[in-house]
Amino acid sequence: QLGVAENQMLEDLLVPALSDFATRDSFAADYIYYQPTHGRPQTRQAMTKFLERTLKLPKSLDEDGMVIGAGCNAVLENLCFCIAEQGDAVMIPTPYYAAFEFDLVARAGLSIVPVTTFDSNSDIVPPVDSLDPIPHQAYYPNRQSLDAAYDRAKKQGNPPRVLLLSHPNNPLGICYPADVVKDCIDWCRERQVHLISDEIYAGSVYGASPMNPFTSALTLAAGHEDKEKGLGLGNYVHFVYALSKDFALSGLRVGACYSENEKIRLPMQKLNDMCQISSQTQSLVDKMLTTKSSSSYWTDEFLQESHSRLRQRADAFMAVLDECGIPYLPADSGLFVWIDMSKYLPPLDPAMLSNDGVESAESQNNRERELYMSLMYEGGCLFTPGLSTRAERPGFFRCVFTAASDEEFDLALERVRKFSKK
């Protein structure tokens, strides 16, 4: 099973450390009472300082803009409740995390508008029938692709209100270059569209090149306004994060939202009443984020070891793909490799082509599903199908290379080798 975005490689580091953190102090009396809805002051301060270190921010965050809630999806939904109305459009570059279509639609009632990027980068996108790999740059949103999605949303009657970036990207397993993110920020400010940077994998950047390092949207948006506290982001840039991925703590349900838009602070705090984290969990998080040896924070040491293990797994998986002649997007962050299995798709029925030679959506879905089922039942590998993430072409899959034990991962590599020889 390499389809669920969890990291099963860190249990040996986490369980002893968390057990130690949990037993350091006795149960405090104030744990049994109501807590501030947006998080205990100690927890918000600990999260703020951790993000400043990890993201290498140019200035200190304003703790009053930090909300701690029960997971990234909870704080993201609450943020969207505060900055958008039912029926408004959330634009998301493709491919994207499939569950966004539930998280932002089920209760908030927003409309997801995919930002497709191949047309605006057509000069570097190989033809459909080519086996050449699609380069990173083909997936970067730019003003042309953003304008096209914006106009499409307005034509559908859904006012464009939010641009949501996954940075580092799920499912692509890459970071956007700083100039791409900065261009998105500038475009949003010009259009008065809210930009949300989901940086839940920011601590899992294991291979970014020095020429193209990961740069948080918070850094790139800083200095827009002259503020005594915070980064000076202005009203249109927001940030979400959680401990679920970088620290493999999806079961603890700890998410964070940061905004310097003072108009939404009280609504965010009130909405978070529905998804607070228990005081005991917050206390555990305090200790985890603030524990420091003589030379470094525990979180820094943990993430350094995590990066080493991520790099080793990613390299092993990509080496097998090279061996099998399977194209992929070279990964540098997150838990994923984006792989191109299109050469294994069932043959295309010419009757399913339009007059312009474009394959119908029904045909794409049917052919990819057949390959998905073949990979699962014949190949013994469960990957996330690309069309579920609104990929622009069929036959692409997200592999979560961290979602298995060492033994299971080795078995998966053998099964990929065997499937490739079909």
Side-chain angles (χ1 to χ4, degrees):
Q1 188 287 108
L2 299 176
V4 177
E6 283 194 316
N7 189 340
Q8 296 194 14
M9 303 192 301
L10 301 170
E11 194 173 300
D12 62 312
L13 301 177
L14 282 166
V15 174
L18 293 175
S19 298
D20 176 48
F21 297 148
T23 56
R24 284 188 180 183
D25 300 314
S26 59
F27 192 94
D30 73 316
Y31 291 178
I32 67 176
Y33 300 109
Y34 289 125
Q35 306 294 320
T37 58
H38 54 309
R40 291 164 56 88
Q42 305 95 311
T43 309
R44 289 187 289 112
Q45 182 182 58
M47 181 65 76
T48 296
K49 297 305 179 186
F50 163 73
L51 290 172
E52 289 169 2
R53 296 193 309 269
T54 303
L55 302 177
K56 299 179 174 59
L57 298 179
K59 291 176 60 181
S60 298
L61 297 173
D62 179 1
E63 291 173 22
D64 291 337
M66 181 69 66
V67 173
I68 306 295
C72 197
N73 56 353
V75 295
L76 174 61
E77 182 191 46
N78 284 347
L79 174 59
C80 286
F81 269 124
C82 292
I83 59 178
E85 300 292 338
Q86 185 173 4
D88 286 352
V90 178
M91 304 186 302
I92 314 177
T94 61
Y96 54 70
Y97 170 55
F100 281 146
E101 294 190 357
F102 175 83
D103 296 345
L104 303 180
V105 175
R107 295 191 297 190
L110 301 175
S111 173
I112 306 298
V113 176
V115 179
T116 55
T117 58
F118 285 4
D119 283 348
S120 62
N121 294 305
S122 58
D123 56 323
I124 58 172
V125 178
V128 174
D129 56 357
S130 171
L131 294 180
D132 292 337
I134 297 175
H136 290 81
Q137 295 88 340
Y139 294 101
Y140 297 163
N142 55 32
R143 286 177 175 266
Q144 182 181 340
S145 61
L146 294 173
D147 285 342
Y150 184 94
D151 292 341
R152 191 167 67 252
K154 289 186 70 175
K155 189 174 293 186
Q156 294 169 354
N158 304 112
R161 198 70 64 203
V162 177
L163 172 62
L164 173 58
L165 295 182
S166 173
H167 174 55
N169 186 275
N170 171 12
L172 296 177
I174 62 171
C175 307
Y176 289 127
D179 62 314
V180 171
V181 178
K182 183 62 167 64
D183 205 28
C184 289
I185 293 169
D186 292 343
W187 182 90
C188 283
R189 285 171 170 159
E190 291 166 15
R191 293 276 195 167
Q192 295 189 327
V193 168
H194 292 271
L195 182 138
I196 303 173
S197 189
D198 178 349
E199 301 187 13
I200 195 171
Y201 297 98
S204 297
V205 180
Y206 56 84
S209 100
M211 300 297 292
N212 182 31
F214 167 76
T215 308
S216 171
L218 293 179
T219 294
L220 297 168
H224 182 66
E225 293 184 353
D226 185 15
K227 291 279 190 177
E228 183 177 344
K229 296 173 67 177
L231 297 174
L233 302 178
N235 289 335
Y236 289 100
V237 177
H238 318 275
F239 168 93
V240 292
Y241 180 75
L243 302 180
S244 304
K245 310 302 182 182
D246 293 342
F247 292 92
L249 293 175
S250 51
L252 289 194
R253 310 310 302 142
V254 179
C257 174
Y258 180 76
S259 176
E260 295 183 0
N261 185 329
E262 296 186 8
K263 292 181 179 179
I264 69 170
R265 285 187 176 176
L266 183 59
M268 281 291 294
Q269 293 172 14
K270 293 296 185 182
L271 282 171
N272 207 59
D273 193 21
M274 303 292 189
C275 53
Q276 294 182 67
I277 311 166
S278 74
S279 53
Q280 193 169 16
T281 299
Q282 291 190 61
S283 175
L284 176 63
V285 169
D286 297 345
K287 297 184 182 72
M288 186 186 86
L289 297 180
T290 58
T291 293
K292 189 178 182 181
S293 66
S294 58
S295 58
S296 60
Y297 286 92
W298 177 86
T299 53
D300 296 342
E301 296 171 358
F302 174 87
L303 290 177
Q304 184 176 4
E305 175 61 23
S306 173
H307 294 168
S308 175
R309 297 185 185 189
L310 288 169
R311 176 78 276 172
Q312 185 177 9
R313 275 278 181 101
D315 284 347
F317 186 71
M318 290 188 286
V320 168
L321 295 176
D322 285 332
E323 175 189 327
C324 298
I326 298 173
Y328 61 91
L329 197 63
D332 59 31
S333 50
L335 317 180
F336 323 106
V337 176
W338 182 247
I339 57 179
D340 178 2
M341 303 289 284
S342 58
K343 66 181 179 180
Y344 302 105
L345 286 167
L348 172 61
D349 180 357
M352 301 304 291
L353 294 174
S354 68
N355 293 334
D356 298 329
V358 178
E359 183 181 5
S360 70
E362 179 186 3
S363 174
Q364 290 187 27
N365 279 298
N366 289 341
R367 291 203 301 142
E368 183 170 284
R369 178 167 178 76
E370 189 172 334
L371 174 55
Y372 169 75
M373 301 299 283
S374 177
L375 278 165
M376 183 165 53
Y377 288 111
E378 299 172 33
C381 292
L382 178 62
F383 301 136
T384 306
L387 290 181
S388 72
T389 70
R390 304 306 176 198
E392 295 189 55
R393 292 180 180 177
F396 288 76
F397 291 83
R398 182 190 74 169
C399 169
V400 186
F401 56 80
T402 60
S405 66
D406 289 341
E407 295 77 13
E408 291 167 340
F409 180 69
D410 289 340
L411 177 60
L413 296 183
E414 286 305 312
R415 289 179 175 179
V416 169
R417 287 188 179 101
K418 184 177 180 180
F419 187 88
S420 70
K421 296 174 183 177
K422 285 183 58 178

